[in-house]
Amino acid sequence: MTVYFKPHLTFADQVGLLKSRGLIIDDEAEAERLLSVIGYYRLSGYWYSFRRPLNSVLRDDNFLEGTTFRQVVQLYDVDRRLKLQLLDALERIEIALRVMIGFTLGRRGAYAHLDASNLDGRFRRSDGRRPSTYDRWLHKVLAAQTRSSEDFVLHFQQKYDGRLPVWVMTEILDFGALSYLFQGLQFADRNEIAARLGVLDRRGDGNGAALANWLRVLNYVRNVCAHHSRLWNRNLADQLAPSHLRSIPDLRHLTDRRVSHFRIYSTLCVVGFLLSRLGHGSHWAQHIRDLLSAEIPACGRELRELGFPAGWAAERPWVD
């Protein structure tokens, strides 16, 4: 095991180290200020792409000739604004999904979520060694309800027996718990919600499996954004399944082998598609298109580093 031995550096020393490695810094005082409020380590994720390559995998500590500190900070800021745009979009999707799940499951009874027979058999099945996915999910939901100080939760505790109807319970779920509940719905319920969102299979029926895959990816991306992690040039831990995209005309181009689902491009297309189904799509897609197509090249980087394929601007998710 290697022991970390690098010394603590003042912000002035950090500026000096970056300059010694070839980074152009015109305003050292401003660079010190930005390092003091953003952090050397956080910015290092953005200047990594500007470091000289040693081979196809590794990079040198020294920067490519002509790289400026201003470019690095600009790239960081573009990523920050992209994440804010994504959080805005994912909020709209999450809220709509809360309503759809609560409405659909609620037809089986106000407390349908408390009766495992209303959910998919795989969701409620236990291997005997640990609780089922349903039991673990319900435990977290009831714990969240206990901790909640929302007025509507207190109302049900004070006036009724404390149980929340499913269409109320969905309001306290975070995106992760919501996506787990969607995966746990019965086959017909998942497909019904998918159909409402235009997520269809090759027969034109709702494709609940596709939407479940999308929600896992969106939950992962949401967590990246909410925790202020780097989205730029990131390989996504969860990816879209191309097989689910072929039957949706607006997204069919994502099945091209040249499109990498490890990067954010295909997820942006899916988010734009879902927003369009909810009546919010075109303006959001325009903002994303304008932001990235103008700002990424201005930073000295290329859109392909985010997974954008050649000819992306003519594809359906980006056309008003």
Side-chain angles (χ1 to χ4, degrees), residues 209-256:
L211 185 55
N213 168 243
W214 293 10
L215 295 180
R216 285 194 299 274
V217 175
L218 296 186
N219 181 54
Y220 170 79
V221 170
R222 182 202 171 279
N223 288 339
V224 169
C225 296
H227 296 144
H228 317 300
S229 300
R230 175 179 50 84
L231 193 58
W232 158 257
N233 212 19
R234 188 187 196 97
N235 279 331
L236 305 185
D238 291 312
Q239 299 98 39
L240 299 171
S243 60
H244 294 317
L245 301 167
R246 196 175 306 280
S247 57
I248 303 174
D250 287 0
L251 302 175
R252 191 172 294 147
H253 77 287
L254 298 178
T255 61
D256 190 305

Side-chain angles (χ1 to χ4, degrees), residues 5 9 11 95 111 138-139 144 152 189 204 221-222 246 250 263 303 306 310 316:
F5 62 88
L9 297 178
F11 297 118
I95 289 173
Y111 306 108
L138 184 60
H139 175 77
F152 64 84
D189 291 343
V221 170
R222 182 202 171 279
R246 196 175 306 280
D250 287 0
R263 296 297 170 91
L303 286 171
L306 290 171
R316 291 285 294 274

Side-chain angles (χ1 to χ4, degrees), residues 38-316:
I38 300 174
Y40 183 101
Y41 186 75
R42 179 175 295 274
L43 284 175
S44 69
Y46 297 91
W47 68 54
Y48 181 81
S49 299
F50 291 99
R51 287 162 51 182
R52 294 192 310 202
L54 288 173
N55 50 47
S56 60
V57 177
L58 300 177
R59 290 180 181 269
D60 193 351
D61 286 335
N62 296 311
F63 290 91
L64 293 165
E65 185 176 356
T67 302
T68 69
F69 186 74
R70 186 182 301 276
Q71 285 177 308
V72 173
V73 173
Q74 185 177 1
L75 183 59
Y76 163 79
D77 188 61
V78 173
D79 193 48
R80 182 187 64 82
R81 286 184 281 162
L82 172 61
K83 289 182 290 189
L84 289 174
Q85 292 282 357
L86 269 168
L87 283 173
D88 175 67
L90 294 173
E91 177 191 9
R92 297 171 189 266
I93 294 169
E94 178 180 346
I95 289 173
L97 195 64
R98 287 179 181 180
V99 177
M100 292 179 188
I101 291 177
F103 178 83
T104 303
L105 193 53
R107 290 183 308 205
R108 301 182 184 275
Y111 306 108
H113 62 294
L114 299 177
D115 182 352
S117 66
N118 291 310
L119 299 165
D120 186 88
R122 292 170 298 176
F123 192 57
R124 61 179 192 261
R125 187 179 302 132
S126 171
D127 60 8
R129 292 175 295 179
R130 62 174 185 166
S132 66
T133 303
Y134 167 73
D135 288 332
R136 298 196 303 274
W137 172 84
L138 184 60
H139 175 77
K140 291 181 179 180
V141 170
L142 295 178
Q145 181 178 332
T146 300
R147 294 192 304 268
S148 177
S149 59
E150 291 282 0
D151 288 343
F152 64 84
V153 174
L154 299 177
H155 170 73
F156 276 91
Q157 290 174 341
Q158 294 166 1
K159 187 171 182 178
Y160 302 103
D161 61 4
R163 294 182 300 166
L164 299 180
V166 63
W167 50 82
V168 177
M169 178 275 301
T170 54
E171 290 298 313
I172 67 171
L173 299 183
D174 59 26
F175 205 116
L178 196 67
S179 65
Y180 265 104
L181 178 56
F182 178 82
Q183 293 175 54
L185 296 179
Q186 292 190 12
F187 181 80
D189 291 343
R190 292 198 304 271
N191 287 350
E192 178 183 335
I193 292 172
R196 289 186 60 190
L197 291 170
V199 185
L200 307 176
D201 61 21
R202 64 179 182 275
R203 297 182 300 273
D205 299 325
N207 190 343
L211 185 55
N213 168 243
W214 293 10
L215 295 180
R216 285 194 299 274
V217 175
L218 296 186
N219 181 54
Y220 170 79
V221 170
R222 182 202 171 279
N223 288 339
V224 169
C225 296
H227 296 144
H228 317 300
S229 300
R230 175 179 50 84
L231 193 58
W232 158 257
N233 212 19
R234 188 187 196 97
N235 279 331
L236 305 185
D238 291 312
Q239 299 98 39
L240 299 171
S243 60
H244 294 317
L245 301 167
R246 196 175 306 280
S247 57
I248 303 174
D250 287 0
L251 302 175
R252 191 172 294 147
H253 77 287
L254 298 178
T255 61
D256 190 305
R257 289 179 297 175
R258 292 171 295 180
V259 176
S260 171
H261 299 287
F262 285 96
R263 296 297 170 91
I264 195 61
Y265 171 76
S266 58
T267 303
L268 292 176
C269 292
V270 162
V271 170
F273 173 80
L274 290 174
L275 285 181
S276 70
R277 298 293 300 184
L278 297 172
H280 304 299
S282 61
H283 293 304
W284 185 86
Q286 181 71 47
H287 288 319
I288 295 294
R289 180 171 58 195
D290 292 347
L291 171 67
L292 297 181
S293 61
E295 298 288 347
I296 293 298
C299 299
R301 307 311 307 175
E302 298 179 2
L303 286 171
R304 63 178 179 81
E305 295 174 87
L306 290 171
F308 281 63
W312 66 270
E315 298 295 347
R316 291 285 294 274

